[in-house]
Amino acid sequence: MIGRLNHVAIVVPDLDAAAALYRDTLGAKVSAPQPLEDHGVTTVFVDLGNTRIELLHPLGDDSPIGRFLERHPDGGMHHVCYEVDDILAARDQLQAQGGRVLGDGEPRTGAHGKPVLFLHPKDFCGTLVEIEQV
Ligand code: CO
């Protein structure tokens, strides 16, 4: 069902410092910061050729990653995103096997303008999983 690893998301306390770390210390190709108000995050994309790293920083007061940063003040890995061909078919198959989908179960538009869903970390080895239809 799942295809390629689309991205790994890392929450960071200082987006400029994290972008500089990936650009200057690790020598990666790094985008400009992109504020995504609908998602309550500002992102920097790190292009690794075969996949991406998404650096995430809270935007606004009720950011979904605000609490994560409170619990992990140094930042940390937040989720992995796998590609799927058909997000509704993937959701139905996962739910039929007991996998819990977060929110109301309906896909929303993710950071790349494609439909996404998040799966409960307790059902997936303690890791928050995003699936994205590509
Ligand atoms: Co993501």
Side-chain angles (χ1 to χ4, degrees):
M1 175 201 305
I2 61 169
R4 300 185 339 155
L5 175 67
N6 186 277
H7 60 269
V8 174
I10 300 174
V11 174
V12 301
D14 182 333
L15 198 54
D16 290 337
L21 177 71
Y22 272 84
R23 185 182 55 235
D24 303 332
T25 306
L26 296 174
K29 213 187 300 175
V30 168
S31 79
Q34 299 184 14
L36 300 171
E37 287 183 19
D38 289 357
H39 295 271
V41 296
T42 302
T43 66
V44 166
F45 298 102
V46 181
D47 181 1
L48 298 178
N50 65 335
T51 191
R52 285 178 283 200
I53 303 294
E54 245 179 48
L55 304 174
L56 299 176
H57 188 74
L59 176 65
D61 291 335
D62 57 349
S63 170
I65 58 171
R67 259 190 70 224
F68 183 93
L69 203 50
E70 278 167 26
R71 279 180 285 131
H72 307 91
D74 296 326
M77 205 201 81
H78 187 260
H79 64 268
V80 295
C81 177
Y82 302 125
E83 298 180 354
V84 297
D85 291 330
D86 181 335
I87 199 162
L88 295 178
R91 175 198 64 189
D92 293 348
Q93 189 178 332
L94 289 164
Q95 285 179 328
Q97 293 173 88
R100 284 168 287 178
V101 174
L102 300 187
D104 63 5
E106 294 306 317
R108 43 187 297 222
T109 303
H112 314 114
K114 309 258 179 69
V116 303
L117 283 170
F118 284 91
L119 310 177
H120 201 297
K122 287 214 161 93
D123 299 333
F124 295 92
C125 309
T127 304
L128 179 61
V129 172
E130 179 180 22
I131 55 174
E132 179 174 305
Q133 181 171 297
V134 293

